Amino acid sequence: MGLFDIFKKPVIIQDDFFGNLRFRKMKVEGKSYFEGKGIFKPTGKEIEYFITANEDGPDQKQKEFYNWIQENYSDLVIKFKPLIEDEFRNWKEDFTIKNFDSEFQLVALTIPNQDKKPLKWDLSFDTEHDENHQFTVEFSGVEPQAVLIDG
């Protein structure tokens, strides 16, 4: 960021689907994104979303993908829950998730460019089991690949 970039007004759009979005321009081609917040229907809670896009905003395919995530959220949880349990067992040998929805709270998700295959995206969670770390499940297409722990 240059010295005078701090005086630039941020690009904010009102998207008909995602609502108020702030654009984050990146130097690397294809890495710019919008950030916003909204209610995630399966949990009824507000989350953040990060949408890879140019200044024109998210496209219809990205809106459909977000709807797909919401419609298939419970199936996705079933798929990635064992990955989180395996990662936790590095600290707590007999760890098991008893009630995912009460123990983990979705806080953010990424929505990639739908034309770039394979789709790389993620879901990030806070948990009552470790308030100092956030758990991010990385996906390739519709399959969970890994769990990253930040904190």
Coordinates of all heavy atoms in Angstrom, one line a residue, residues 71-116:
E71 N -27.7 -25.3 2.1 CA -28.6 -26.5 1.9 C -28.0 -27.8 2.3 O -28.7 -28.7 2.7 CB -29.1 -26.5 0.4 CG -30.0 -25.4 0.0 CD -30.2 -25.3 -1.5 OE1 -29.7 -26.2 -2.2 OE2 -30.9 -24.3 -1.9
N72 N -26.7 -27.9 2.2 CA -25.9 -29.1 2.4 C -25.1 -29.0 3.7 O -24.3 -29.9 3.9 CB -25.1 -29.4 1.2 CG -25.9 -29.8 0.0 OD1 -26.4 -30.9 -0.1 ND2 -26.1 -28.8 -0.9
Y73 N -25.3 -28.1 4.5 CA -24.4 -27.8 5.7 C -24.4 -29.1 6.6 O -23.3 -29.5 7.0 CB -24.9 -26.6 6.4 CG -24.1 -26.3 7.6 CD1 -22.8 -25.9 7.5 CD2 -24.6 -26.5 8.9 CE1 -22.0 -25.6 8.6 CE2 -23.8 -26.2 10.0 CZ -22.5 -25.7 9.9 OH -21.8 -25.5 11.0
S74 N -25.5 -29.7 6.9 CA -25.5 -30.8 7.8 C -24.8 -32.0 7.2 O -24.0 -32.7 8.0 CB -26.9 -31.2 8.2 OG -27.7 -31.6 7.1
D75 N -24.8 -32.2 5.9 CA -24.1 -33.3 5.3 C -22.6 -32.9 5.3 O -21.7 -33.8 5.5 CB -24.5 -33.5 3.8 CG -25.9 -34.0 3.8 OD1 -26.4 -34.7 4.7 OD2 -26.6 -33.8 2.8
L76 N -22.2 -31.7 5.1 CA -20.8 -31.3 5.2 C -20.3 -31.5 6.6 O -19.1 -32.0 6.7 CB -20.7 -29.8 4.8 CG -21.0 -29.5 3.3 CD1 -21.1 -28.0 3.1 CD2 -19.9 -30.1 2.4
V77 N -21.0 -31.2 7.6 CA -20.6 -31.4 9.0 C -20.3 -32.9 9.2 O -19.2 -33.2 9.8 CB -21.6 -30.9 10.0 CG1 -21.3 -31.3 11.4 CG2 -21.7 -29.4 9.9
I78 N -21.1 -33.7 8.7 CA -20.9 -35.2 8.9 C -19.6 -35.6 8.3 O -18.9 -36.4 8.8 CB -22.1 -36.0 8.3 CG1 -23.4 -35.8 9.2 CG2 -21.8 -37.5 8.2 CD1 -24.7 -36.2 8.5
K79 N -19.3 -35.0 7.1 CA -18.1 -35.3 6.4 C -16.8 -34.9 7.1 O -15.8 -35.6 7.1 CB -18.1 -34.7 5.0 CG -18.9 -35.4 4.0 CD -18.7 -34.7 2.6 CE -19.2 -35.6 1.5 NZ -19.0 -34.9 0.2
F80 N -16.8 -33.6 7.6 CA -15.6 -33.1 8.2 C -15.4 -33.3 9.7 O -14.4 -33.1 10.2 CB -15.4 -31.6 7.8 CG -16.3 -30.6 8.4 CD1 -16.3 -30.3 9.7 CD2 -17.2 -30.0 7.5 CE1 -17.2 -29.3 10.2 CE2 -18.1 -29.0 8.0 CZ -18.1 -28.7 9.4
K81 N -16.5 -33.6 10.4 CA -16.4 -33.8 11.9 C -15.3 -34.8 12.3 O -14.5 -34.5 13.2 CB -17.8 -34.3 12.4 CG -17.9 -34.3 13.9 CD -19.3 -34.5 14.3 CE -19.5 -35.9 14.8 NZ -20.8 -36.3 15.4
P82 N -15.1 -35.9 11.6 CA -14.0 -36.8 12.0 C -12.6 -36.1 11.8 O -11.7 -36.4 12.6 CB -14.1 -38.0 11.0 CG -15.5 -38.0 10.6 CD -15.9 -36.5 10.5
L83 N -12.4 -35.2 10.9 CA -11.2 -34.5 10.7 C -10.9 -33.6 11.9 O -9.8 -33.5 12.4 CB -11.2 -33.7 9.4 CG -11.2 -34.4 8.1 CD1 -11.3 -33.4 7.0 CD2 -10.0 -35.3 7.9
I84 N -11.9 -32.9 12.4 CA -11.8 -32.1 13.6 C -11.5 -33.0 14.8 O -10.6 -32.6 15.6 CB -13.0 -31.2 13.8 CG1 -13.1 -30.2 12.7 CG2 -12.9 -30.5 15.2 CD1 -14.4 -29.3 12.8
E85 N -12.2 -34.1 15.0 CA -11.9 -35.0 16.1 C -10.5 -35.5 16.1 O -9.8 -35.5 17.1 CB -12.9 -36.1 16.1 CG -14.3 -35.7 16.5 CD -15.3 -36.8 16.5 OE1 -15.2 -37.7 15.6 OE2 -16.2 -36.8 17.3
D86 N -10.0 -35.9 14.9 CA -8.6 -36.4 14.8 C -7.6 -35.3 15.2 O -6.6 -35.6 15.8 CB -8.3 -36.8 13.3 CG -9.0 -38.2 13.0 OD1 -9.5 -38.9 13.9 OD2 -9.1 -38.5 11.8
E87 N -7.9 -34.1 14.7 CA -6.9 -33.0 15.1 C -6.9 -32.7 16.6 O -5.9 -32.5 17.2 CB -7.3 -31.7 14.3 CG -6.3 -30.6 14.3 CD -5.0 -31.1 13.6 OE1 -5.0 -31.8 12.6 OE2 -3.9 -30.7 14.2
F88 N -8.1 -32.7 17.2 CA -8.2 -32.5 18.6 C -7.5 -33.6 19.4 O -7.0 -33.4 20.5 CB -9.7 -32.4 19.0 CG -10.1 -31.1 19.5 CD1 -11.0 -30.3 18.8 CD2 -9.6 -30.6 20.7 CE1 -11.4 -29.1 19.2 CE2 -10.0 -29.3 21.1 CZ -10.9 -28.6 20.4
R89 N -7.5 -34.8 18.9 CA -6.9 -35.9 19.6 C -5.4 -35.8 19.7 O -4.8 -36.5 20.5 CB -7.3 -37.3 19.0 CG -8.8 -37.6 19.2 CD -9.2 -38.9 18.7 NE -10.6 -39.1 18.9 CZ -11.5 -39.5 17.9 NH1 -11.0 -39.8 16.7 NH2 -12.8 -39.6 18.2
N90 N -4.8 -34.9 19.0 CA -3.4 -34.6 19.2 C -3.2 -33.9 20.6 O -2.1 -34.0 21.1 CB -2.9 -33.6 18.1 CG -2.8 -34.3 16.8 OD1 -2.5 -35.5 16.7 ND2 -3.1 -33.6 15.7
W91 N -4.2 -33.3 21.2 CA -4.1 -32.7 22.5 C -4.9 -33.5 23.6 O -4.5 -33.6 24.7 CB -4.7 -31.3 22.5 CG -4.0 -30.3 21.6 CD1 -2.7 -30.1 21.6 CD2 -4.6 -29.6 20.6 NE1 -2.4 -29.1 20.7 CE2 -3.5 -28.8 20.0 CE3 -5.8 -29.4 20.1 CZ2 -3.7 -27.9 18.9 CZ3 -6.1 -28.6 19.0 CH2 -5.0 -27.8 18.5
K92 N -6.1 -34.0 23.2 CA -6.9 -34.7 24.1 C -7.2 -36.1 23.5 O -8.0 -36.2 22.6 CB -8.2 -33.9 24.3 CG -8.1 -32.5 24.9 CD -9.4 -31.8 25.0 CE -9.2 -30.4 25.5 NZ -10.5 -29.7 25.6
E93 N -6.6 -37.1 24.1 CA -6.5 -38.4 23.5 C -7.9 -39.0 23.2 O -8.1 -39.6 22.1 CB -5.8 -39.3 24.4 CG -5.4 -40.7 23.8 CD -4.5 -41.5 24.7 OE1 -3.5 -40.9 25.2 OE2 -4.9 -42.6 25.0
D94 N -8.9 -38.9 24.1 CA -10.2 -39.5 23.9 C -11.3 -38.5 23.4 O -12.5 -38.7 23.6 CB -10.6 -40.1 25.2 CG -9.7 -41.2 25.6 OD1 -9.2 -41.9 24.7 OD2 -9.5 -41.4 26.8
F95 N -10.9 -37.4 22.8 CA -11.8 -36.4 22.4 C -12.9 -36.9 21.4 O -12.5 -37.5 20.4 CB -11.1 -35.2 21.8 CG -12.0 -34.1 21.4 CD1 -12.5 -33.2 22.3 CD2 -12.4 -34.0 20.0 CE1 -13.3 -32.2 21.9 CE2 -13.3 -33.0 19.7 CZ -13.7 -32.0 20.6
T96 N -14.1 -36.6 21.6 CA -15.2 -36.8 20.7 C -16.2 -35.6 20.7 O -16.3 -35.0 21.8 CB -16.0 -38.1 21.0 OG1 -16.5 -38.1 22.3 CG2 -15.2 -39.3 20.8
I97 N -16.7 -35.3 19.6 CA -17.7 -34.3 19.5 C -19.1 -34.9 19.8 O -19.5 -35.9 19.1 CB -17.7 -33.6 18.1 CG1 -16.4 -33.0 17.9 CG2 -18.9 -32.6 18.0 CD1 -16.2 -32.5 16.4
K98 N -19.8 -34.4 20.8 CA -21.1 -35.0 21.2 C -22.2 -34.3 20.5 O -23.1 -34.9 20.0 CB -21.2 -34.9 22.7 CG -20.3 -35.8 23.5 CD -20.3 -35.5 25.0 CE -19.2 -36.2 25.8 NZ -17.9 -36.0 25.4
N99 N -22.2 -33.0 20.4 CA -23.2 -32.2 19.7 C -22.5 -31.1 19.0 O -22.2 -30.0 19.5 CB -24.2 -31.6 20.7 CG -25.3 -30.9 20.0 OD1 -25.1 -30.3 19.0 ND2 -26.5 -30.9 20.6
F100 N -22.2 -31.3 17.7 CA -21.4 -30.3 16.9 C -22.0 -28.9 17.0 O -21.3 -27.9 17.2 CB -21.3 -30.8 15.5 CG -20.4 -29.9 14.7 CD1 -19.0 -30.1 14.7 CD2 -20.9 -28.8 13.9 CE1 -18.2 -29.3 14.0 CE2 -20.0 -28.0 13.2 CZ -18.7 -28.2 13.3
D101 N -23.3 -28.8 16.8 CA -24.0 -27.5 16.7 C -23.9 -26.7 18.0 O -23.8 -25.5 17.9 CB -25.4 -27.6 16.3 CG -25.6 -28.2 14.9 OD1 -24.7 -27.9 14.0 OD2 -26.6 -28.8 14.6
S102 N -23.8 -27.3 19.1 CA -23.6 -26.6 20.4 C -22.2 -26.4 20.7 O -21.8 -25.4 21.4 CB -24.4 -27.2 21.5 OG -23.8 -28.5 21.8
E103 N -21.3 -27.2 20.3 CA -19.9 -27.2 20.6 C -19.0 -26.3 19.7 O -18.0 -25.8 20.1 CB -19.3 -28.6 20.7 CG -19.9 -29.5 21.7 CD -19.5 -30.9 21.6 OE1 -18.2 -31.1 21.5 OE2 -20.3 -31.8 21.6
F104 N -19.5 -26.2 18.4 CA -18.8 -25.4 17.4 C -19.7 -24.4 16.8 O -20.9 -24.7 16.5 CB -18.2 -26.3 16.3 CG -17.1 -27.2 16.8 CD1 -17.4 -28.4 17.5 CD2 -15.8 -26.8 16.5 CE1 -16.3 -29.2 18.0 CE2 -14.7 -27.6 17.0 CZ -15.0 -28.8 17.7
Q105 N -19.2 -23.2 16.6 CA -20.0 -22.1 16.0 C -19.3 -21.6 14.7 O -18.1 -21.2 14.7 CB -20.1 -20.9 16.9 CG -20.8 -21.2 18.2 CD -20.0 -22.0 19.2 OE1 -18.8 -21.7 19.4 NE2 -20.6 -23.0 19.8
L106 N -20.0 -21.8 13.6 CA -19.5 -21.3 12.3 C -19.3 -19.7 12.4 O -20.3 -19.1 12.8 CB -20.4 -21.6 11.2 CG -20.0 -21.1 9.8 CD1 -18.7 -21.9 9.3 CD2 -21.1 -21.4 8.8
V107 N -18.1 -19.2 12.1 CA -17.9 -17.8 12.1 C -17.6 -17.2 10.8 O -17.8 -16.0 10.6 CB -16.8 -17.4 13.2 CG1 -17.3 -17.8 14.6 CG2 -15.5 -18.1 12.9
A108 N -17.1 -18.0 9.8 CA -16.7 -17.4 8.5 C -16.7 -18.5 7.5 O -16.5 -19.7 7.8 CB -15.4 -16.7 8.6
L109 N -16.8 -18.1 6.2 CA -16.6 -19.0 5.1 C -16.1 -18.2 3.9 O -16.2 -17.0 3.8 CB -17.9 -19.8 4.8 CG -19.1 -19.1 4.3 CD1 -19.0 -18.7 2.8 CD2 -20.3 -20.0 4.5
T110 N -15.4 -18.9 3.0 CA -14.9 -18.3 1.8 C -15.7 -18.9 0.6 O -16.2 -20.0 0.7 CB -13.4 -18.6 1.6 OG1 -13.2 -20.0 1.5 CG2 -12.6 -18.0 2.7
I111 N -15.9 -18.0 -0.3 CA -16.6 -18.4 -1.6 C -15.7 -18.1 -2.7 O -15.4 -17.0 -3.0 CB -17.9 -17.7 -1.7 CG1 -18.8 -17.9 -0.5 CG2 -18.6 -18.0 -3.0 CD1 -20.0 -17.1 -0.4
P112 N -15.1 -19.2 -3.3 CA -14.1 -19.0 -4.4 C -14.8 -18.6 -5.7 O -16.0 -18.7 -5.9 CB -13.5 -20.3 -4.5 CG -14.6 -21.3 -4.2 CD -15.4 -20.6 -3.1
N113 N -13.9 -18.2 -6.6 CA -14.3 -18.0 -8.0 C -14.7 -19.4 -8.5 O -14.0 -20.4 -8.5 CB -13.1 -17.5 -8.8 CG -13.3 -17.4 -10.3 OD1 -14.2 -18.1 -10.9 ND2 -12.6 -16.5 -10.9
Q114 N -16.0 -19.5 -9.0 CA -16.5 -20.8 -9.4 C -16.0 -21.3 -10.7 O -16.2 -22.5 -11.0 CB -18.1 -20.7 -9.5 CG -18.7 -20.3 -8.2 CD -18.5 -21.3 -7.1 OE1 -19.1 -22.4 -7.2 NE2 -17.7 -21.0 -6.1
D115 N -15.3 -20.5 -11.5 CA -14.7 -21.0 -12.7 C -13.3 -21.6 -12.5 O -12.7 -22.2 -13.4 CB -14.6 -19.8 -13.7 CG -16.0 -19.4 -14.1 OD1 -16.9 -20.2 -14.2 OD2 -16.1 -18.1 -14.4
K116 N -12.7 -21.4 -11.4 CA -11.4 -21.9 -11.1 C -11.5 -23.3 -10.4 O -12.0 -23.4 -9.3 CB -10.6 -21.0 -10.2 CG -9.1 -21.3 -10.1 CD -8.4 -20.2 -9.3 CE -6.9 -20.6 -9.2 NZ -6.2 -19.7 -8.4

